[in-house]
Amino acid sequence: MLLTEFRSLITSPKKGGMLMTVGIPGSGKSTTLRGLLAGLNHTVINADLVREELLGDASSMEKGGWVWDTIDERYGAAIRSDTPYVALDFMNLRARDRKKYILPALSLGRVVHLLFFPIEAKRAIYHQSLRGRRVPGHVIEEKANKMQMASEYEINNCKVYIVRWSLD
């Protein structure tokens, strides 16, 4: 499916949408969101950008509580706003962690779209080697082992998509 065809699936003029990416570093999450949301009224909450803003380093894992409190605060404000599309652009590897973002969106009548990016760690490591900010290979492998695909709850309450990129 082409990106333009996929984009038509997420547009929901009556209800706002919430898009959540699920995938390891280097899987194409941010690249896909940029293409999907180009030209649409949207808010993207990107964990790397929040870390860069607060700590001066997108890869820093220091002060994680402060970073995640900021993300949660921004998400809460965005999801309650009139912005038609709110996107969470970070790994979201565990189903239980995703649920804390899904529940408020559903309770506010938003359509939740989960975009899963299953990719082998070795391909993500290669993709990372092509961009400026690099996540160490052992970290990507660790994250790949923690990634959980859609839970039964998510399948029953959200629109779930599997996104596969050809990175070669």
Side-chain angles (χ1 to χ4, degrees):
M1 175 181 305
L2 298 173
L3 191 60
T4 53
E5 293 171 330
F6 182 67
R7 184 177 169 165
S8 70
L9 294 175
I10 66 158
T11 54
S12 179
K14 292 183 181 179
K15 298 180 182 181
M18 190 275 270
L19 289 80
M20 178 185 291
T21 60
V22 181
I24 62 177
S27 60
K29 300 179 303 292
S30 298
T31 302
T32 300
L33 279 180
R34 277 193 298 277
L36 278 176
L37 297 173
L40 296 176
N41 182 6
H42 68 279
T43 298
V44 175
I45 301 167
N46 178 296
D48 292 340
L49 295 179
V50 171
R51 282 190 206 95
E52 179 73 36
E53 175 189 333
L54 298 178
L55 307 172
D57 181 0
S59 63
S60 176
M61 295 298 145
E62 295 179 20
K63 301 182 182 180
W66 182 31
V67 170
W68 289 106
D69 287 349
T70 302
I71 288 169
D72 291 349
E73 182 180 303
R74 290 179 184 179
Y75 174 70
I79 206 79
R80 288 187 302 275
S81 75
D82 292 335
T83 303
Y85 302 97
V86 176
L88 294 175
D89 184 16
F90 43 90
M91 291 184 285
N92 297 303
L93 298 177
R94 292 190 204 117
R96 73 170 187 256
D97 296 334
R98 295 190 296 260
K99 195 170 184 179
K100 84 173 198 177
Y101 296 105
I102 293 169
L103 289 172
L106 292 174
S107 73
L108 292 168
R110 288 188 178 260
V111 177
V112 176
H113 304 271
L114 300 179
L115 286 68
F116 285 83
F117 294 79
I119 183 175
E120 293 176 6
K122 66 181 181 180
R123 290 182 61 115
I125 292 167
Y126 168 73
H127 189 225
Q128 285 280 302
S129 74
L130 303 176
R131 64 183 225 184
R133 190 180 74 80
R134 294 194 183 129
V135 176
H138 72 278
V139 173
I140 292 175
E141 290 171 355
E142 175 186 309
K143 299 298 183 187
N145 290 331
K146 290 183 179 180
M147 184 171 157
Q148 297 173 345
M149 293 305 286
S151 68
E152 184 176 344
Y153 172 82
E154 291 167 334
I155 290 168
N156 291 329
N157 291 285
C158 307
K159 296 180 184 252
V160 178
Y161 309 94
I162 306 298
V163 182
R164 296 189 191 275
W165 281 98
S166 175
L167 300 175
D168 296 330

